[in-house]
Amino acid sequence: MRSFALYVLMTLTMLFPTVIHGQVRTLNIVYTGGVAGELEPCGCSPKSDFGGVARRAGYLTEHRKTLSPYILIDAGNFLDKDTPQGRLKAEAMLKAFSIMKYDAMAFLKMEKEFPYSFFSGLLKKYKIPVISDMPPYRQSISTKRDAFDVNVSANPMNYQKGKLNILLTDQPISEIKHVKGWNIIILSAGEILEEPLKTNGTIIVSGYPKGERLGILTLQIDSGGEVLEFKHRWQALGKDIKEDINIRKVLKKYDAKIAKLLKDDYKPPADTPYLGVSKCGECHQPFVESWKKTRHAGAFSSLERVGKSADPECIKCHTAGFGEKGGFYSAKTTPMLTNVQCEACHGPGREHLLDLSKPMQPVTEHVCLKCHTKSASPDFNYPVYLEKVKHK
């Protein structure tokens, strides 16, 4: 009987070491990286409708207890280009990260496009724990979570003995896999690692592009700080994830600020090359009637329904000529160019109107791929899609 009890105890010790000895503890590393300015997904296709800071925050709020203890980390390259819209997006992103209480964020290649003077006030306002491999930012952050001492750094030389060491970098896998001494390396170069790579005693993971999935790395660590075992899983952030209401408020304010970038007093140039579908219909009415039956004809209203009708990143593919001379500017100033109408595919029509012998731009696959990208339209097939919009 005694030997049987001893056998049971040994079995439980192997299965539940934390419970039996209290020496092996669990820590979750919850991470993102390479988000590339994706505040929320495009939503044009159900297959690509994943990610977004509102869903990420919603998941963390709902599962905070089951994830604890955890450290929340972004490995950098969470921003896009330094443009007026890019700066508004950066502020919204930082505010969202602050609400989610990120423990560490790396400023790497994309963040370096923005001057420090832009970030300095925002970092103080939102109390963002930033590290970077460039001055004047600090290179490492030390934090405690439960019984764990953790060192998070952007410098491969800043390993600290006696701590759990996590390196954040945007170096490619081919280069970083030769770095030794780190417990964990989290990448943000845009490469996809479906499963962690373990090399030289280091666990290497990579943030999922555009934040479509949240990475969760579960570590079993002994009292000496050694990682005994690990498990990894991806948490998809689809429409089934309940959004965080506070982050949604941040996004609504962002949309309102974006709309103000488009001035109400804008006037199209007198020699605008774009005419609008009504003008095309004077000679090609049967084609216009055929177009009205396609999804292209309602492309702009789909943006209005979700509050994105003034977002330049969206309207460029839901209007005619946005960003071009005389093309769509806003629903108020150029209403005749809303939707994916004739000139969105065939090019500006003024030259054709002045000389009918001049042909319009042919619709090739290249023209369609400007908007039907892999991320926005993953099922795009040129011959199949062409049939849906071909004039009949």
Side-chain angles (χ1 to χ4, degrees), residues 86-374:
R87 292 196 170 201
L88 291 175
K89 184 181 291 187
E91 181 174 5
M93 191 78 77
L94 290 173
K95 188 171 183 179
F97 280 27
S98 176
I99 292 173
M100 285 185 270
K101 294 180 169 50
Y102 267 74
D103 294 289
M105 296 175 58
F107 275 21
L108 299 177
K109 182 180 178 181
M110 296 309 298
E111 289 74 47
K112 290 176 184 177
E113 290 195 8
F114 295 74
Y116 175 75
S117 58
F118 168 72
F119 283 126
S120 58
L122 293 175
L123 298 183
K124 291 178 181 178
K125 180 178 181 180
Y126 298 122
K127 297 180 173 58
I128 302 293
V130 169
I131 59 174
S132 181
D133 56 358
M134 65 175 180
Y137 303 103
R138 52 185 168 171
Q139 295 185 341
S140 302
I141 288 177
S142 291
T143 186
K144 291 199 77 169
R145 186 66 79 253
D146 201 17
F148 303 103
D149 287 320
V150 184
N151 169 51
V152 186
S153 182
N155 185 341
M157 304 302 293
N158 279 11
Y159 174 90
Q160 294 185 23
K161 191 174 181 180
K163 293 186 178 183
L164 179 70
N165 287 276
I166 303 174
L167 177 65
L168 311 182
T169 178
D170 55 9
Q171 291 186 42
I173 297 171
S174 59
E175 294 180 14
I176 204 64
K177 67 181 182 181
H178 301 295
V179 174
K180 299 179 181 180
W182 294 84
N183 298 104
I184 301 162
I185 298 178
I186 306 177
L187 309 178
S188 60
E191 296 175 280
I192 296 178
L193 269 179
E194 290 292 352
E195 296 294 334
L197 174 66
K198 189 168 185 180
T199 178
N200 298 319
T202 299
I203 303 167
I204 302 176
V205 294
S206 181
Y208 208 88
K210 295 187 176 182
E212 292 182 0
R213 301 179 189 178
L214 188 65
I216 302 174
L217 181 65
T218 303
L219 308 176
Q220 293 289 330
I221 307 173
D222 68 11
S223 57
E226 180 182 353
V227 178
L228 302 176
E229 296 181 8
F230 70 90
K231 292 182 180 180
H232 180 271
R233 71 179 179 90
W234 290 112
Q235 174 59 51
L237 300 175
K239 293 181 70 174
D240 58 315
I241 302 296
K242 184 179 180 181
E243 291 188 344
D244 182 279
I245 188 171
N246 293 317
I247 302 292
R248 177 47 59 186
K249 289 179 181 179
V250 172
L251 296 178
K252 285 185 177 181
K253 288 182 179 179
Y254 164 77
D255 288 335
K257 291 179 180 179
I258 288 297
K260 292 180 180 179
L261 293 177
L262 303 175
K263 298 179 171 45
D264 289 339
D265 59 355
Y266 168 83
K267 293 183 179 180
D271 59 343
T272 175
Y274 287 88
L275 305 173
V277 64
S278 297
K279 195 66 177 178
C280 300
E282 292 178 5
C283 296
H284 304 286
Q285 190 58 35
F287 291 167
V288 172
E289 293 302 318
S290 175
W291 166 78
K292 287 180 180 179
K293 299 175 183 179
T294 69
R295 292 182 65 183
H296 279 174
F300 195 76
S301 62
S302 68
L303 294 184
E304 292 178 315
R305 286 195 296 270
V306 295
K308 292 292 185 180
S309 60
D311 189 330
E313 292 182 351
C314 299
I315 58 180
K316 65 182 180 181
C317 286
H318 289 249
T319 60
F322 178 76
E324 305 290 336
K325 177 186 176 183
F328 177 86
Y329 183 79
S330 71
K332 182 176 182 179
T333 60
T334 51
M336 65 288 191
L337 295 175
T338 57
N339 298 312
V340 183
Q341 51 176 273
C342 312
E343 292 167 297
C345 302
H346 295 285
R350 177 170 290 279
E351 291 299 317
H352 173 68
L353 184 65
L354 295 176
D355 183 354
L356 298 180
S357 67
K358 291 184 177 181
M360 296 291 287
Q361 169 183 283
V363 179
T364 64
E365 185 173 4
H366 174 72
V367 172
C368 302
L369 288 174
K370 290 180 179 179
C371 289
H372 286 278
T373 61
K374 187 175 182 179

